Amino acid sequence: MKLINLILCGGLALSFCACSDTPSGESTKRPAGQDPDPKPTPEPGGDDNVVSPTPSFTLNNRTVAVNTAKTYQEMEGFGASDCWLPNKIGTYWGGNRLQIARWLFSKNVSSDGQPQGIGLSMWRVNLGAGTEEAGDAGGVDNINNRAESYLQTSGSYDWKRCNGQQYFMQQAKNNGVEKFVLFSNSPLVQYTLNGQGRSDNGGSANLKDDCYTPFAEYMAEVAKHFTLEGYNISHISPVNEPQYNWDGRDQEGSGWQNTEVARLTRELDKALQSRSLSTKILIGEAASWEYTYKGNNNRENTINAFFDPASEAYVGDLGHIEKAIAGHSYWTFDNWNHMRDIRAKVKTSADARGIKVWQTEWSMLDKEPSELGGSYDDVSEFDIAQYMSRIIHNDITVAGCSSWSYWTAMSVERYGQKNRFELIKTTPAGGNYSDDFTAEGNAVATPNLWVLGNYSLFVRPGYRRVDLTLDESKDFFGTAYIAPDNTRLVLVITNYDKERGISLAMDAPKDAKSVYTYTTTATKQMKQAQFNLKDKVFVDPASVTTIVYNF
């Protein structure tokens, strides 16, 4: 492919390659989230005769400019988890389970330009503690939050268990999901101190002292099995929200001390090494961002606990450790300034240790944010979804997250919760308050799905965030990303103005071949539009919009 020249930006240069355009309405040559064959990313300051694209927009006396020569983090994936209903739905449902999988994983675009799904690049798979097999004795009263394990009481493995979870894993693989992350909420019930998947051990691990090695061996063995089945088990996350005691009966969980987490991590590192697996260990899963950088007890300040060589819990030198801290965005999003202040502190602490940041779990668990626009009773489902875009934006731009995942991919709405806890709303055949998912039910894609899709479908693993200059506020903000082969530039813009759309008066990149937008509003679901390169690109009122330049 021939090299093409792009407009000058501050005297800096990058090499770009031409690629075929996406014909309007054609889904087979280039799906929305699928890139051409990857090519090596040119070294900075490459061919001085080839320069980087810098679309410059003028809107309402504001200037927006992209500088691809100024880069930030490489993006590693957008995902969601399979807790807990996917095991039931994947086992018992028929056509609707396939539709759910299509919404989550498909990268295809229909003939009318409508994306069929959001093309998640990461799927988080729950390694259950065996509370499903244990029944009432397992300590989890909510029957739909019980989870199976693969280890039988005899000590042998039954790989036919977790059938519904495996259905969605297979669908994810079929649709090209790049990474699978195995995560654990609790040790297996046969390894716990109380024989249950919830804890009576306070802030310490609900794990027998002689079971650290067997539990690590179990997680590594599951990773080995699915690796041999053709899944890229990129990571194992061995603990979840260790700052909580998990003494309730609604779901699996255990508290952990940092030193206990480190002990388990060292055992898991050895178990992975003995199986010659390349799987990395993702550590942290802090219940709130603040636990990653502050506090002095043995359950807090996880960045320094795990990555300061002087710490008793230091694991940064292990061969399988991912040099990253994982945290959850709960409890830290009441308003724009507060969420940015906290996330800036996360980045400062992570940068000091030379590690990356992953946001691995969020839903709108908290009391309604003060800037949401009203109580949960008063706001719309799109209001909730659009507020999520503020969180994604600040996690990426302020905390520096290179990966972002939603919590439960599917759940059921009860008690007027609207779409606070799921991407896809599922209803059992017996209605919202039925716990029986063994018969075919209904499924509806919520605005959360499509807003997340404005990022996940287009910002693929390996894309790098580049500089986007604009008059940023809580009501107007955006990010920009360049493909690793430099053939695609992606902008994600959020406009909160409910009355006024924005026309972006701009000079398109000189050698751009096409420009598309994908718009999500209260009535649009990533609706595609193609613009003439000489025309103004329009951003709808109250929208999240992805702008895609193809070169």
Side-chain angles (χ1 to χ4, degrees):
M1 295 181 178
K2 67 183 180 68
L3 293 176
I4 58 177
N5 294 324
L6 302 172
I7 63 177
L8 184 65
C9 172
L12 297 174
L14 287 176
S15 296
F16 278 67
C17 293
C19 62
S20 60
D21 188 13
T22 305
S24 178
E26 183 165 333
S27 63
T28 57
K29 290 189 177 179
R30 182 185 291 173
Q34 182 172 307
D35 300 314
D37 293 336
K39 290 169 282 296
T41 302
E43 294 296 323
D47 186 347
D48 288 339
N49 296 317
V50 185
V51 294
S52 52
T54 56
S56 181
F57 322 132
T58 302
L59 54 104
N60 301 326
N61 298 318
R62 291 180 293 178
T63 298
V64 178
V66 176
N67 180 3
T68 61
K70 186 174 182 180
T71 64
Y72 302 97
Q73 73 268 38
E74 179 180 316
M75 303 306 295
E76 298 179 80
F78 288 86
S81 85
D82 71 355
C83 275
W84 289 275
L85 287 181
N87 199 34
K88 295 287 181 65
I89 291 172
T91 298
Y92 296 109
W93 288 22
N96 281 340
R97 69 176 184 174
L98 182 60
Q99 176 60 71
I100 290 170
R102 185 179 296 117
W103 279 328
L104 291 169
F105 306 128
S106 176
K107 296 191 285 286
N108 293 328
V109 176
S110 63
S111 60
D112 63 356
Q114 175 63 48
Q116 296 181 0
I118 67 168
L120 293 179
S121 50
M122 183 177 292
W123 187 236
R124 288 171 52 83
V125 180
N126 179 30
L127 289 178
T131 52
E132 174 68 22
E133 298 93 317
D136 292 344
V140 176
D141 293 342
N142 187 331
I143 62 172
N144 286 322
N145 288 359
R146 296 172 180 175
E148 294 180 89
S149 79
Y150 293 102
L151 189 63
Q152 301 181 89
T153 54
S154 64
S156 61
Y157 286 80
D158 181 357
W159 298 113
K160 294 182 180 180
R161 289 183 178 175
C162 310
N163 179 64
Q165 289 180 271
Q166 291 196 58
Y167 170 82
F168 283 104
M169 288 182 71
Q170 182 67 55
Q171 291 297 320
K173 186 173 73 168
N174 291 349
N175 281 277
V177 170
E178 288 88 341
K179 297 177 182 179
F180 293 82
V181 178
L182 307 180
F183 70 98
S184 170
N185 291 314
S186 165
L188 302 183
V189 292
Q190 52 265 55
Y191 297 154
T192 60
L193 291 165
N194 62 0
Q196 298 180 343
R198 37 78 61 198
S199 182
D200 294 311
N201 208 36
S204 296
N206 184 27
L207 178 63
K208 297 174 184 176
D209 189 67
D210 61 353
C211 287
Y212 279 80
T213 298
F215 182 38
E217 292 280 338
Y218 170 74
M219 290 187 285
E221 192 62 24
V222 176
K224 176 183 175 181
H225 170 80
F226 284 108
T227 298
L228 293 175
E229 291 289 312
Y231 295 88
N232 176 28
I233 308 299
S234 63
H235 295 81
I236 296 176
S237 175
V239 302
N240 175 68
E241 296 188 346
Q243 293 80 23
Y244 296 159
N245 292 347
W246 296 106
D247 52 3
R249 292 183 173 271
D250 191 58
Q251 68 180 78
E252 297 178 349
S254 171
W256 294 82
Q257 300 288 304
N258 289 336
T259 47
E260 294 172 328
V261 175
R263 179 182 173 187
L264 179 62
T265 300
R266 295 182 190 110
E267 293 298 324
L268 181 55
D269 181 73
K270 290 187 287 187
L272 292 170
Q273 184 64 33
S274 69
R275 290 164 175 79
S276 300
L277 294 173
S278 61
T279 301
K280 292 289 188 179
I281 303 170
L282 183 64
I283 202 165
E285 301 272 7
S288 165
W289 282 126
E290 292 181 299
Y291 289 121
T292 68
Y293 65 84
K294 73 182 208 179
N296 297 313
N297 69 38
N298 198 19
R299 304 175 77 184
E300 302 173 325
N301 203 349
T302 56
I303 291 174
N304 284 331
F306 299 134
F307 293 100
D308 179 357
S311 167
E312 183 182 0
Y314 177 64
V315 291
D317 58 344
L318 298 179
H320 286 269
I321 197 76
E322 180 71 69
K323 300 299 191 296
I325 196 68
H328 299 170
S329 276
Y330 300 120
W331 319 114
T332 57
F333 58 87
D334 176 73
N335 63 75
W336 178 265
N337 289 333
H338 179 61
M339 72 172 78
R340 289 171 68 85
D341 177 67
I342 288 172
R343 284 153 181 78
K345 292 173 181 175
V346 174
K347 180 171 173 54
T348 296
S349 185
D351 285 351
R353 297 297 173 195
I355 62 173
K356 300 176 294 186
V357 180
W358 283 29
Q359 196 291 125
T360 50
E361 183 180 316
W362 180 83
S363 64
M364 196 162 272
L365 180 66
D366 310 20
K367 179 183 182 297
E368 59 267 19
S370 61
E371 293 177 343
L372 181 62
S375 71
Y376 286 127
D377 290 335
D378 299 329
V379 301
S380 70
E381 290 198 351
F382 180 73
D383 290 330
I384 291 171
Q386 191 176 38
Y387 199 90
M388 178 179 70
S389 73
R390 283 180 175 162
I391 296 161
I392 296 173
H393 173 81
N394 285 316
D395 281 342
I396 290 173
T397 62
V398 183
C401 292
S402 57
S403 177
W404 201 95
S405 289
Y406 195 82
W407 174 217
T408 45
M410 61 201 81
S411 187
V412 59
E413 178 191 346
R414 290 172 176 165
Y415 315 113
Q417 293 166 340
K418 296 183 177 176
N419 56 320
R420 290 169 56 195
F421 304 127
E422 68 278 320
L423 301 177
I424 297 169
K425 193 176 298 183
T426 57
T427 305
N432 279 5
Y433 292 91
S434 170
D435 287 325
D436 184 4
F437 280 81
T438 61
E440 183 88 12
N442 294 321
V444 176
T446 76
N448 293 344
L449 181 88
W450 304 111
V451 167
L452 179 57
N454 278 102
Y455 292 88
S456 61
L457 184 58
F458 306 98
V459 183
R460 307 304 302 174
Y463 276 46
R464 187 169 289 277
R465 186 167 73 90
V466 297
D467 194 58
L468 176 63
T469 303
L470 48 71
D471 186 13
E472 184 180 81
S473 72
K474 66 184 177 66
D475 295 325
F476 181 76
F477 51 88
T479 48
Y481 311 84
I482 194 75
D485 60 2
N486 298 323
T487 57
R488 177 172 287 187
L489 177 66
V490 173
L491 285 71
V492 185
I493 303 289
T494 297
N495 174 30
Y496 256 84
D497 193 319
K498 293 188 176 183
E499 303 296 330
R500 184 175 56 178
I502 296 172
S503 291
L504 305 180
M506 63 182 178
D507 293 321
K510 179 181 178 182
D511 289 292
K513 303 300 183 184
S514 63
V515 56
Y516 290 85
T517 61
Y518 297 84
T519 300
T520 300
T521 67
T523 59
K524 296 180 181 179
Q525 301 172 336
M526 289 170 57
K527 184 175 177 59
Q528 184 195 77
Q530 183 174 12
F531 286 82
N532 188 304
L533 289 167
K534 296 181 180 180
D535 292 341
K536 296 179 180 179
V537 174
F538 183 74
V539 177
D540 279 16
S543 68
V544 180
T545 300
T546 304
I547 305 169
V548 179
Y549 293 95
N550 294 309
F551 298 97

